[in-house]
Amino acid sequence: NYAKRLQEAILPPENELKRLFGDNYFIYYNPKAIVAGDFYWMEYVDDTILIAVADCTGHGVPGAMVSLVCSNALNRSVFEYAIREPGKILDRTRELVLGNFAKSGSDVKDGMDISICMIDKNKKQAQFASAQNTIYHFRKGEVTSYIGNRWSIGSSLEIKPFTNHSISLEKEDTIYLFTDGYADQFGGDKGKKFKYKPLNDLLLSISHENIATQKKVIDNSFVSW
């Protein structure tokens, strides 16, 4: 439980999220164990919001330890190297994570899947990049999926740059970032995974609702499943 308090210290504070997004956001964070491999991250720099959700290798304590390494690498990419473009942030973060693990001299295979979004409210623009995750952009009842690159932050046979996507934002657009935890949850009558198509349909069905209602439906659907 004390380790949980330490891990929660790396998560963005609720008052900062509320200052930047008002009532126009929700976070559904439901770790399987007391500490977790999943985490969310946010920084406000140069009048832009950088926000990410990540899934680190392993569950419980191992995953939580990897999350600290990866969160630190994100911070260094943004503040030490002054990178703002999501794709390049992931490129640098990968270098830092691999560098940290290489110091041990052991063959460490750990890493993370992550989605990261940069929002410029003044220019009404957003940029995305992703390692293994999908990002959903909802506009007027229609959804556009941005499929991430098929390699993680960490050890890989082939190191390629991450793809950066850019869109213009309109009023009432909604962006969803998520790990695979929801879609991969086993449940239902047959003990199967929830899967992404039902998740897509669920988000589409509630995208017109206010944010508080959306979070409640997301929670109820997960618990029911």
Side-chain angles (χ1 to χ4, degrees):
N1 283 305
Y2 188 73
K4 178 183 180 181
R5 289 172 58 189
L6 293 174
Q7 188 179 34
E8 287 176 344
I10 71 171
L11 302 178
E14 193 75 22
N15 61 350
E16 182 68 0
L17 286 159
K18 200 157 187 71
R19 182 180 74 83
L20 294 172
F21 293 107
D23 295 324
N24 297 314
Y25 80 96
F26 75 85
I27 295 171
Y28 186 65
Y29 184 60
N30 188 13
K32 178 182 178 182
I34 294 172
V35 289
D38 283 20
F39 71 95
Y40 53 99
W41 172 92
M42 187 194 73
E43 293 293 346
Y44 182 66
V45 287
D46 299 337
D47 293 325
T48 62
I49 302 167
L50 289 163
I51 190 161
V53 295
D55 172 13
C56 295
T57 309
H59 298 286
V61 173
M65 295 183 73
V66 176
S67 76
L68 297 177
V69 172
C70 292
S71 176
N72 179 62
L74 282 170
N75 288 328
R76 288 188 63 195
S77 297
V78 171
F79 293 106
E80 184 177 332
Y81 293 95
I83 305 171
R84 302 293 179 263
E85 184 178 300
K88 292 181 179 178
I89 290 174
L90 295 190
D91 291 339
R92 176 63 68 176
T93 297
R94 175 175 54 196
E95 292 177 12
L96 294 171
V97 169
L98 289 174
N100 278 324
F101 288 145
K103 291 176 184 178
S104 69
S106 302
D107 188 19
V108 179
K109 299 294 187 183
D110 289 297
M112 69 174 169
D113 298 338
I114 182 172
S115 299
I116 183 168
C117 177
M118 185 274 282
I119 299 171
D120 188 325
K121 286 186 174 182
N122 295 326
K123 295 181 180 179
K124 295 182 179 179
Q125 290 182 336
Q127 294 183 36
F128 316 107
S130 174
Q132 295 275 35
N133 289 342
T134 301
I135 298 165
Y136 287 163
H137 171 223
F138 284 79
R139 175 178 292 168
K140 297 176 181 177
E142 296 184 357
V143 58
T144 302
S145 299
Y146 294 87
I147 299 173
N149 295 111
R150 296 305 183 193
W151 52 87
S152 300
I153 300 291
S155 182
S156 177
L157 294 176
E158 190 173 4
I159 303 297
K160 297 180 181 179
F162 285 94
T163 305
N164 205 69
H165 304 276
S166 182
I167 63 169
S168 296
L169 295 175
E170 296 181 7
K171 189 175 181 181
E172 298 184 1
D173 281 6
T174 310
I175 298 168
Y176 296 93
L177 310 178
F178 45 86
T179 67
D180 62 5
Y182 202 104
D184 282 357
Q185 177 61 48
F186 288 96
D189 296 335
K190 298 180 180 180
K192 301 290 187 180
K193 289 183 179 181
F194 192 89
K195 296 189 177 179
Y196 284 96
K197 179 61 167 63
L199 176 59
N200 188 339
D201 294 342
L202 175 62
L203 294 176
L204 190 58
S205 72
I206 64 173
S207 60
H208 64 285
E209 301 283 359
N210 65 58
I211 290 297
T213 299
Q214 290 190 36
K215 181 175 181 178
K216 187 174 181 180
V217 172
I218 287 288
D219 182 33
N220 290 342
S221 298
F222 188 80
V223 172
S224 176
W225 180 254

